[in-house]
Amino acid sequence: MAARPPVSRCRAVRLARAAAFVVGLYVVATGHVGSNNVFFAGEAGPYPVSVVIRPPEVIPGLAEISIRVPGGGVDRVTVRPVRWDAAPEGGAPPPDEAVPVVGDPELYAAELWLMTVGAYRVEVAVEGSRGSGEVSVPVTSVMLGVRDLPPGLGWILAALGLLLVAGVVAITGAAVRESQVPSGETVGARQRRRARIAMAATAVAVAGVVYLGNAWWEAVDRDVRSGIFERLEVEGAIVRDGGAPALEIAITDPAWLGRNWSPLVPDHGKLMHMFVVGAPGMDAFAHVHPVPVDSFTFRVPWPDLPPGEYRIYGDIVQESGFAQTVVDTITVDAAALAVAGDAGTVPEARDVLAREVPGLPRDPDDSAWTGVPVALSGPGSETRLDDGSILEWQGEQELRVDEETILQFRLWDPDEKPAELEPYMGMRSHAALTRDDGAVFVHLHPAGTISMGSLAVLAPGGSPMAGGGTDSPTGVVEFPFAFPQPGEYTIWIQVKREGRVLTGAFRATVLE
């Protein structure tokens, strides 16, 4: 991008450029795009557990929860929602008991009411022959819409309402016209006139009540709809920092600028995890970590990616534990990536960065990848990483929508021995996946889709995690997930060996 245009023009260009994949985008606030379900693999004391939480789309609403506890010996499983700001004692409802699912002795199900918008933790407690244990799973409760009245039912209620109004007016007229007429006498002209006046007055009064009631209802509806979640608006641009290109993300949302959002907290030690995805070819990918320049701007050196169209996804966590992903698109041309002397009109970074972060050093956890994703043709599909090691798919033969699965991969040394992995930002592996049209984007960990930043806020001390932890076979990484929509997906798997972050990419077809 040669230069950042004025804000209004920039927005118009971004909207036009992103229309192909943003129209109909199902946005939620789980720290992901296109999937509001929460997947977690961990341990509740001595019990390994796998938890899936399907939050409601309207608030208040019922969240559906399933808990799988392998190994048997379980007597009781309970779940309880706790808001981030709940009092330590008496600030949450009593736990609900999860009931066993008929036909699957390891699976338990429950429903929980989420009454307000905000960050929650769902406490899962297990009791049995191995003792008792508890684990907390962070959940972001947001309202994605309101339930509109079905048109047919609306017409029926309107007709019944008119009938009720007509009845009230008619009863008033009859009462005024006939209530004071002696038995055996006919109604006179005076009574009829008084009845007509009373009926008119009643009709006006009822109309006034209906008008005020409708005004009240519309005010309530506006207030409720104002609570529908919308992602923070951001603008991405390529700027020049010390002669080198940098990616700058500015939060332009009035809610943020008006300080209506709480500050950010680190997630894996980073205030923002940014994923840069080449579109539409899925042939370029980067996982970088912008640093704050000021209270609304983040910047990171441009990764080693070629010019082109890119979607950017930035994961952030508020200090309340509320996690979300900000989304934008940018066009990067050759002039933007040229050396300083040929930079043309690419804007220079502001002086504040030069004073606070001289030279904008690269984060050692930043990484970039270019290439052609390998198609998943079944177990055994493999791709070779930059150090010569081999990443092999060991998951399901077919992937289907809403079917819980484990995305399982194994890393082999170049000599085809199981590879040893180093912790990468505290975990065995990270993964990112996106549907090719951008309608779905998810950042995955071996513990699932949960944000570690949210977990640190909502459950201080964290939770012991499995799902690819230290008990997994050498070189094996696993990610619990269920694809929310059918289509073509690209999955990037990231591991760390000998201090180097390595990335492998696969293409998967998800069936209905």
Side-chain angles (χ1 to χ4, degrees):
M1 183 184 307
R4 177 186 291 180
V7 170
S8 59
R9 178 171 168 261
C10 182
R11 260 188 203 152
V13 171
R14 286 192 303 109
L15 290 174
R17 190 169 61 239
F21 73 95
V22 170
V23 171
L25 196 65
Y26 179 47
V27 292
V28 294
T30 58
H32 309 117
V33 175
S35 175
N36 60 338
N37 295 338
V38 177
F39 298 87
F40 173 81
E43 295 175 353
Y47 302 93
V49 296
S50 176
V51 182
V52 180
I53 303 175
R54 295 175 173 85
E57 295 185 12
V58 295
I59 303 296
L62 280 170
E64 299 177 0
I65 303 175
S66 63
I67 306 103
R68 183 173 296 279
V69 190
V74 176
D75 297 330
R76 186 169 183 252
V77 177
T78 62
V79 292
R80 182 173 75 148
V82 182
R83 262 187 62 96
W84 71 275
D85 55 355
E89 299 294 336
D96 290 3
E97 189 156 347
V99 298
V101 175
V102 177
D104 191 338
E106 296 182 344
L107 187 62
Y108 296 78
E111 291 184 333
L112 288 179
W113 280 98
L114 300 183
M115 302 301 297
T116 59
V117 169
Y120 281 81
R121 71 176 185 269
V122 173
E123 297 177 345
V124 179
V126 184
E127 300 175 8
S129 60
R130 286 173 276 173
S132 61
E134 183 177 292
V135 69
S136 294
V137 183
V139 177
T140 302
S141 171
V142 294
M143 185 165 58
L144 301 177
V146 296
R147 298 276 176 84
D148 292 324
L149 194 68
L153 179 59
W155 284 111
I156 292 174
L157 293 177
L160 292 175
L162 289 174
L163 182 62
L164 181 61
V165 169
V168 170
V169 173
I171 291 172
T172 301
V176 172
R177 183 176 56 248
E178 301 172 10
S179 62
Q180 297 182 3
V181 176
S183 177
E185 296 185 10
T186 60
V187 176
R190 181 180 178 187
Q191 283 83 10
R192 291 192 181 92
R193 184 171 59 254
R194 291 177 59 192
R196 286 193 292 270
I197 294 173
M199 291 172 68
T202 301
V204 171
V206 171
V209 171
V210 171
Y211 174 81
L212 293 176
N214 182 67
W216 169 81
W217 179 259
E218 288 185 349
V220 171
D221 185 64
R222 284 194 301 270
D223 182 61
V224 170
R225 290 180 184 274
S226 68
I228 294 176
F229 173 75
E230 294 183 4
R231 296 186 183 278
L232 289 173
E233 295 180 4
V234 298
E235 290 187 0
I238 299 298
V239 298
R240 194 60 59 173
D241 176 66
L247 173 60
E248 183 173 276
I249 309 298
I251 302 176
T252 59
D253 198 289
W256 181 274
L257 300 179
R259 299 299 185 266
N260 292 333
W261 287 81
S262 59
L264 303 181
V265 295
D267 182 11
H268 299 295
K270 320 290 184 180
L271 287 179
M272 179 181 287
H273 290 261
M274 177 68 68
F275 298 87
V276 184
V277 178
M282 306 292 116
D283 55 356
F285 170 85
H287 179 183
V288 295
H289 306 92
V291 297
V293 176
D294 50 38
S295 60
F296 61 90
T297 307
F298 292 78
R299 195 175 303 143
V300 66
W302 177 253
D304 186 18
L305 298 179
E309 296 276 342
Y310 290 92
R311 302 175 188 136
I312 53 177
Y313 303 90
D315 289 349
I316 55 176
V317 180
Q318 259 74 48
E319 66 179 2
S320 64
F322 189 95
Q324 67 166 299
T325 301
V326 295
V327 181
D328 197 16
T329 60
I330 60 171
T331 298
V332 181
D333 58 27
L337 303 183
V339 297
D342 301 324
T345 58
V346 177
E348 286 288 340
R350 286 171 292 174
D351 291 339
V352 62
L353 182 69
R355 292 195 301 270
E356 296 181 0
V357 192
L360 195 62
R362 291 186 180 273
D363 190 312
D365 291 322
D366 287 357
S367 60
W369 170 92
T370 55
V372 179
V374 173
L376 290 181
S377 56
S381 300
E382 61 183 40
T383 185
R384 192 169 291 274
L385 307 186
D386 286 346
D387 69 341
S389 56
I390 301 167
L391 186 64
E392 179 187 2
W393 165 251
Q394 295 188 331
E396 300 289 342
Q397 176 74 29
E398 288 187 345
L399 300 172
R400 292 187 176 274
V401 171
D402 289 334
E403 287 189 1
E404 296 174 34
T405 187
I406 299 293
L407 306 180
Q408 186 180 84
F409 302 85
R410 186 159 197 164
L411 189 68
W412 305 89
D413 281 332
D415 56 3
E416 299 187 0
K417 295 180 180 179
E420 296 287 344
L421 300 177
E422 299 174 7
Y424 176 34
M425 289 186 288
M427 314 199 81
R428 284 174 65 86
S429 179
H430 289 250
L433 63 84
T434 182
R435 205 171 81 163
D436 285 1
D437 62 356
V440 176
F441 174 84
V442 179
H443 177 196
L444 281 168
H445 308 120
T449 61
I450 65 169
S451 162
M452 296 296 105
S454 296
L455 185 64
V457 172
L458 297 169
S463 302
M465 291 173 289
T470 55
D471 294 334
S472 296
T474 302
V476 172
V477 292
E478 300 174 335
F479 306 90
F481 190 59
F483 289 88
Q485 301 175 23
E488 298 296 321
Y489 285 78
T490 301
I491 307 170
W492 291 273
I493 308 300
Q494 296 193 290
V495 296
K496 193 172 186 179
R497 301 193 66 208
E498 298 180 353
R500 184 180 179 186
V501 179
L502 304 169
T503 304
F506 293 90
R507 287 185 61 81
T509 300
V510 178
L511 307 175
E512 285 281 5

